[in-house]
Amino acid sequence: MSLKIRDLPNEELVAPGNSGCPGCGATMGARMAMKVLGSRTIMVNGTGCMTVNYGVLAAARFPYLHMLFETTGAVLSGLDAGLRSLGKREGVTLLGWAGDGGTADIGFQSLSGAVERGHKFVYICYDNESYMNTGGQRSGVTPYGASTTTCPAGKRSIGESRPMQRRKDMVEIMAAHGIPYAATASLAFPMDYMAKVKRAAEVDGPSYVHLLSPCPPGWGSNDELTVEVSRLAVETGMWILYEVVDGERKFNKRLKTLRPITDYLKTQKRFRHLLDQPEEIEKIQSFVTKRAERLGLLG
Amino acid sequence: MASVFVSGNMAAAIGARQAEVNVVAAYPITPQTSIVEYLAKFVADGELDAQTIPVESEHSAMAACIGASLAGARAFTASSSQGLALMHEPVFAAAGLRLPLVMAVANRALSHPVTIWSDHSDSMAERDSGWLQFYCETCQEVLDTIIIGYRVAEDARVLLPAMVCLDGFYLSHLSEPVSVPAIEDVRRFAPKSAPKYPILDVDDPKSIGLVISPDFFTEFVYDKHASMSMARDVTEEAFAEFERMFGRRYSHLESYRIDDAEVVLVGMGTMAGTIRVAVDGLRARGMRVGALKIKTYRPFPGEEIRRALRGARVVAVVDRAVTYGTGGIAYYDVARELVNESPHPLLLDFVAGIGGRDITVDTINRVAEQALAVSLDGRRDDVTWVDANKETLAIWGLALR
Amino acid sequence: MPHPWLKERPLTPCLRGGFSTVNQTGSWRVIRPVLDISKCRDCSMCWLYCPEGVIDRENNYSIDYDYCKGCGVCAVECPVDAIEMVKEE
Ligand SMILES: Cc1ncc(C[n+]2csc(CCOP(=O)(O)OP(=O)(O)O)c2C)c(N)n1
Ligand code: SF4
Ligand code: SF4
Ligand code: SF4
């Protein structure tokens, strides 16, 4: 991957004035993706925060469609077929851009169908680990122990507490469809992220990138720490950077050791209640460590 | 113009083929299924140059048609009942994005109880979605209305999608001789032109599907309303041009022996033929009865309704769908047009043919007899469930009133 | 036959990209990034990370304060601490 920061275009395909919160990871991630995808890209955005950011005052300087929450995959299928039928498919990138709710929950079926049928598009899920557009409810990928408005921590609850800890693993699920390219990404490793998006656009068929997107108001993290929180997620092993290329798994960032997960958890209010519950911390730590060992992430 | 002997579903598929649709995205459901199968076969055999998307649900069928239409392609889908209900959300979105899609609906009742048989409850639930709705009586009408549908939907004065409804089984699986318009003629009648609605085009980037405030929302809804009203004239024009080119005459309403009729029986879809047969029988017995078929249900042809029913003493509307606790649905559309006429005919409300109960000549005779029996100063009674069976209600222990 | 009201009809809400510049998000800012260009090593990290894309790397990394939301990511990520966040008056 020889993507260089110098070679990225200066042209801004996203106009300023969008209504995203300061330090929004999703807004940051979309801008970076567009730097490598370029203006001949059509973005289909299932309802979520980006709908407010791009879809109220039109920030995108490329064709942008906000469509119903759960329809991103299906609309991409229709665009792919429609452009093909008109002989206009060549040279156009189709980008699906949706949140974790629109991807892993309500839009899961439509995405799975579109991917299974083999339409050509890049799909990026910006994962803020909750439904933020409606104020921060849990999703199928909310991490164990996080407090959200629909799984609030309280006297009798530690917040999200699905028994198997593991969240719905979208990259594995997408890879299981046999698609040519699926990857996780982090804003703290921007060149890695953008190289993945580029690669995703180059493969013939559907491709999937899952970007961890810190959300200051939802996570209770500081605006200025969006990138730092992303970095800690990777360094603690809470977020693993890897890609699946034609079925082959490859880690993009091996670690010598894992930082303790508390380094990550303490940056965010949604985990604060866990900090005085050592047995829960231990549970999560052991889950994270075991997973890293099992996958061979260390070394 | 070739002639073939085909079912209503095949006629729908042929209509889409002759309109040279670019994209077909649909999902199987009885009694619509064979429409998508026929189209898939046309494509497989090279008789239609289109992309087919074998979607994983009707919700995605409509969403995919929206995507295709936003690419600038002519898109087609078909559904029924549960499938149409599942589509409900993107059905509204398609109209809001002003996309000229055409969808065939093989009418079937909605669950529960479960049935595969016909009534209009599925398409009636989409009545206010911003789609044009045509109800067909013959296989020929199905084929022709799909072609007419594209012409009207794509007209810059309309830009709203169109639903072509055919009664499940009664029409979807009925075979009749059908004349197939030549593709070259269809091209002249409903030419594909550059989209007149906003599309997603990398050479002309726009943002579509936007969020807007109450300061503007009403006006966009009003525009749909105004366009739907305009669609009345545009469809008339299309009917006239269709007749000129293909020799078959359609109109929003079809009246039969109403000129001196004391009682007019109003219905939509396949029941219209039954009503006409019943009218002949009743006339032979000396009763002054006429029939009125509503083909164009959205936009509703109000002025034509008023004109057609002006002289009648009694108007009886037979509905194949219910608005619960009140009665038939088209009844309200008809009543709305007549309520300020003076004098206006007495209006009677009948529900029949629900969930595949056959509407027979006998059913219609009973409607007519009740209509003839009401006295001039007759008060409008409750809706009459003309074919509901007291014994069946009793056997099941259902509500008896 | 075109109809007179065709030209002005809105159809569906649709805007050209870039309309968002009417929304001067700089007014949200409570702290402001101030760059000391003498310290800058021209690494472009602030430019890449700015979620709003308001740092102009072709022009000495000047910041468009009409739109900068003051998130402070640029200051945290600058490897040589060339950007300082200062309270808005
Ligand atoms: C069918 C439907 N159900 C519910 C909603 C309400 N809704 C809008 S956005 C949203 C959550 C979006 O969550 P996610 O996809 O994670 O994106 P985010 O808001 O976090 O950016 C919900 C529940 C909707 N728009 N449509
Ligand atoms: S709520 Fe979170 S995801 Fe949504 S705009 Fe704000 S920071 Fe971004
Ligand atoms: S403070 Fe935030 S918005 Fe302002 S220039 Fe820095 S990164 Fe951009
Ligand atoms: S991050 Fe710091 S050193 Fe790098 S370009 Fe920006 S101001 Fe200069």
Side-chain angles (χ1 to χ4, degrees):
Chain A
M1 311 271 152
S2 54
L3 196 60
K4 297 255 170 7
I5 200 166
R6 276 286 138 212
D7 301 334
L8 294 172
N10 291 320
E11 186 197 4
E12 293 298 343
L13 290 177
V14 183
N18 76 72
S19 352
C21 312
C24 171
T27 307
M28 185 187 285
R31 175 175 169 260
M32 284 181 187
M34 292 311 299
K35 287 265 177 219
V36 284
L37 293 176
S39 62
R40 297 185 75 78
T41 299
I42 297 174
M43 181 191 276
V44 178
N45 167 221
T47 315
C49 274
M50 288 306 284
T51 304
V52 181
N53 297 1
Y54 282 17
V56 178
L57 291 174
R61 291 187 169 120
F62 46 89
Y64 165 86
L65 171 72
H66 158 245
M67 245 304 268
L68 307 174
F69 196 9
E70 65 285 26
T71 58
T72 310
V75 174
L76 288 167
S77 309
L79 273 167
D80 182 46
L83 290 171
R84 273 177 213 278
S85 73
L86 299 172
K88 287 164 71 177
R89 185 67 185 86
E90 210 51 40
V92 175
T93 302
L94 294 179
L95 170 65
W97 182 267
D100 48 301
T103 302
D105 292 346
I106 199 167
F108 188 67
Q109 171 182 320
S110 121
L111 174 61
S112 172
V115 158
E116 168 274 316
R117 292 187 298 270
H119 293 285
K120 181 166 163 55
F121 57 82
V122 181
Y123 189 104
I124 304 180
C125 169
Y126 65 93
D127 182 2
N128 53 26
E129 302 188 324
S130 53
Y131 299 167
M132 278 318 297
N133 194 36
T134 38
Q137 297 79 30
R138 105 183 257 286
S139 80
V141 299
T142 296
Y144 181 86
S147 182
T148 75
T149 59
T150 48
C151 59
K155 258 193 218 127
R156 293 183 180 184
S157 168
I158 60 145
E160 174 49 50
S161 56
R162 68 175 77 78
M164 57 283 185
Q165 278 207 49
R166 183 179 170 152
R167 358 176 290 156
K168 198 185 279 190
D169 193 336
M170 281 307 296
V171 171
E172 286 303 316
I173 294 167
M174 285 296 114
H177 285 72
I179 62 175
Y181 190 79
T184 60
S186 162
L187 292 166
F189 300 86
M191 301 317 287
D192 175 71
Y193 164 49
M194 287 186 286
K196 284 170 171 168
V197 173
K198 194 158 182 284
R199 180 142 195 193
E202 284 162 3
V203 299
D204 192 19
S207 55
Y208 181 84
V209 177
H210 197 105
L211 176 72
L212 184 68
S213 300
C215 165
W219 294 12
S221 54
N222 289 356
D223 297 353
E224 72 276 15
L225 293 186
T226 289
V227 177
E228 180 60 16
V229 166
S230 300
R231 190 173 292 124
L232 286 166
V234 172
E235 291 174 355
T236 54
M238 296 281 291
W239 191 252
I240 297 173
L241 287 181
Y242 76 111
E243 57 194 347
V244 189
V245 187
D246 293 322
E248 291 282 322
R249 275 163 191 68
K250 188 179 145 224
F251 292 109
N252 307 110
K253 175 109 184 99
R254 280 182 188 283
L255 301 170
K256 289 263 167 299
T257 52
L258 295 179
R259 288 177 71 159
I261 54 158
T262 43
D263 286 3
Y264 175 67
L265 302 182
K266 70 187 181 202
T267 57
Q268 301 156 56
K269 290 201 188 84
R270 62 177 174 155
F271 294 122
R272 195 159 56 189
H273 58 285
L274 294 177
L275 296 177
D276 51 17
Q277 291 182 254
E279 60 303 347
E280 287 298 341
I281 296 282
E282 182 41 44
K283 220 163 127 185
I284 302 173
Q285 183 68 66
S286 126
F287 176 82
V288 169
T289 310
K290 278 201 191 114
R291 181 178 60 183
E293 282 164 359
R294 191 183 69 241
L295 294 174
L297 176 69
L298 300 175
Chain B
M1 223 182 277
S3 199
V4 290
F5 188 75
V6 296
S7 67
N9 277 355
M10 182 53 125
I14 293 174
R17 183 190 69 194
Q18 299 308 92
E20 296 179 286
V21 297
N22 301 107
V23 174
V24 178
Y27 192 81
I29 181 167
T30 305
Q32 169 275 138
T33 307
S34 55
I35 301 181
V36 347
E37 292 175 338
Y38 293 138
L39 281 164
K41 188 74 171 119
F42 289 155
V43 173
D45 291 343
E47 290 172 31
L48 170 63
D49 182 15
Q51 298 274 326
T52 53
I53 313 179
V55 280
E56 80 298 333
S57 75
E58 287 87 352
H59 198 285
S60 287
M62 185 49 60
C65 283
I66 289 173
S69 192
L70 283 169
R74 188 178 267 185
F76 179 80
T77 188
S79 195
S80 279
S81 183
Q82 311 308 121
L84 185 58
L86 182 61
M87 265 184 199
H88 182 69
E89 188 198 21
V91 160
F92 274 66
L97 291 167
R98 310 303 298 267
L99 305 177
L101 306 171
V102 172
M103 163 159 62
V105 174
N107 286 107
R108 162 180 158 185
L110 280 162
S111 295
H112 282 292
V114 184
T115 179
I116 56 167
W117 303 99
S118 187
D119 70 26
H120 294 164
S121 54
D122 54 358
S123 54
M124 279 294 171
E126 309 304 323
R127 182 191 61 181
D128 302 329
S129 58
W131 284 59
L132 282 72
Q133 279 195 349
F134 301 103
Y135 287 78
C136 300
E137 187 189 337
T138 65
C139 297
Q140 184 72 60
E141 192 178 349
V142 171
L143 191 162
D144 293 346
T145 308
I146 284 176
I147 293 166
I148 292 167
Y150 278 111
R151 174 174 160 133
V152 176
E154 289 170 2
D155 190 291
R157 295 163 290 173
V158 178
L159 290 172
L160 289 169
M163 223 175 266
V164 177
C165 303
L166 53 152
D167 289 341
F169 296 107
Y170 296 117
L171 193 50
S172 66
H173 288 63
L174 167 87
S175 289
E176 291 179 323
V178 161
S179 137
V180 181
I183 287 201
E184 307 75 64
D185 293 334
V186 176
R187 277 185 200 151
R188 278 191 293 127
F189 175 74
K192 284 189 192 171
S193 51
K196 302 176 190 82
Y197 52 93
I199 63 165
L200 295 165
D201 180 358
V202 288
D203 294 315
D204 182 16
K206 295 184 206 79
S207 293
I208 309 176
L210 304 179
V211 183
I212 58 168
S213 77
D215 296 344
F216 310 113
F217 198 93
T218 303
E219 285 67 26
F220 284 97
V221 173
Y222 175 78
D223 192 80
K224 269 187 280 181
H225 168 73
S227 306
M228 184 64 89
S229 307
M230 181 64 75
R232 256 187 294 267
D233 296 348
V234 177
T235 309
E236 270 299 351
E237 279 172 34
F239 287 155
E241 178 64 9
F242 194 88
E243 182 182 20
R244 205 186 58 74
M245 286 184 67
F246 303 103
R248 288 185 292 278
R249 172 73 200 158
Y250 294 105
S251 50
H252 295 318
L253 301 177
E254 267 175 44
S255 54
Y256 184 70
R257 302 181 80 165
I258 60 167
D259 284 347
D260 63 338
E262 188 192 341
V263 167
V264 177
L265 310 173
V266 182
M268 308 203 296
T270 52
M271 76 165 93
T274 313
I275 295 179
R276 279 198 301 272
V277 172
V279 162
D280 284 344
L282 293 158
R283 285 264 175 188
R285 282 153 56 194
M287 298 175 215
R288 297 218 321 270
V289 181
L292 188 67
K293 161 182 150 184
I294 301 172
K295 172 183 172 62
T296 310
Y297 182 56
R298 285 292 175 274
F300 196 70
E303 202 184 308
E304 291 84 342
I305 288 272
R306 287 195 295 278
R307 219 181 303 129
L309 298 176
R310 197 155 280 154
R313 181 175 72 85
V314 180
V315 170
V317 184
V318 186
D319 262 288
R320 228 176 184 135
V322 188
T323 173
Y324 290 100
T326 38
I329 298 175
Y331 171 83
Y332 285 91
D333 291 283
V334 175
R336 182 179 201 284
E337 298 307 330
L338 297 178
V339 68
N340 286 334
E341 298 284 284
S342 74
H344 66 68
L346 188 69
L347 277 144
L348 296 179
D349 179 6
F350 292 89
V351 166
I354 299 299
R357 184 150 302 178
D358 291 344
I359 295 183
T360 61
V361 170
D362 182 54
T363 318
I364 301 302
N365 284 344
R366 269 182 280 147
V367 170
E369 278 151 20
Q370 290 196 30
L372 284 158
V374 284
S375 62
L376 270 170
D377 57 347
R379 190 176 48 82
R380 190 189 69 80
D381 256 318
D382 262 4
V383 54
T384 305
W385 288 68
V386 66
D387 58 2
N389 187 322
K390 284 213 168 91
E391 286 83 72
T392 312
L393 284 169
I395 291 168
W396 286 83
L398 290 165
L400 254 184
R401 299 223 290 145
Chain C
M1 184 186 64
H3 195 269
W5 44 265
L6 275 183
K7 269 206 197 91
E8 293 87 57
R9 312 174 56 195
L11 281 177
T12 191
C14 163
L15 291 170
R16 301 258 151 215
F19 186 80
S20 60
T21 49
V22 297
N23 185 23
Q24 299 220 337
T25 49
S27 63
W28 302 5
R29 204 171 46 240
V30 286
I31 43 173
R32 132 188 321 242
V34 178
L35 166 71
D36 180 350
I37 193 71
S38 68
K39 288 191 194 158
C40 172
R41 287 213 228 120
D42 191 16
C43 72
S44 285
M45 287 317 281
C46 57
W47 167 83
L48 180 59
Y49 274 129
C50 173
E52 316 308 322
V54 296
I55 302 180
D56 184 357
R57 73 166 166 179
E58 290 175 297
N59 189 11
N60 284 326
Y61 294 92
S62 69
I63 295 166
D64 187 343
Y65 291 111
D66 286 345
Y67 299 101
C68 161
K69 293 175 184 167
C71 67
V73 168
C74 54
V76 171
E77 296 304 320
C78 171
V80 295
D81 293 332
I83 301 173
E84 195 190 344
M85 299 305 292
V86 301
K87 263 226 165 68
E88 286 286 348
E89 306 290 270

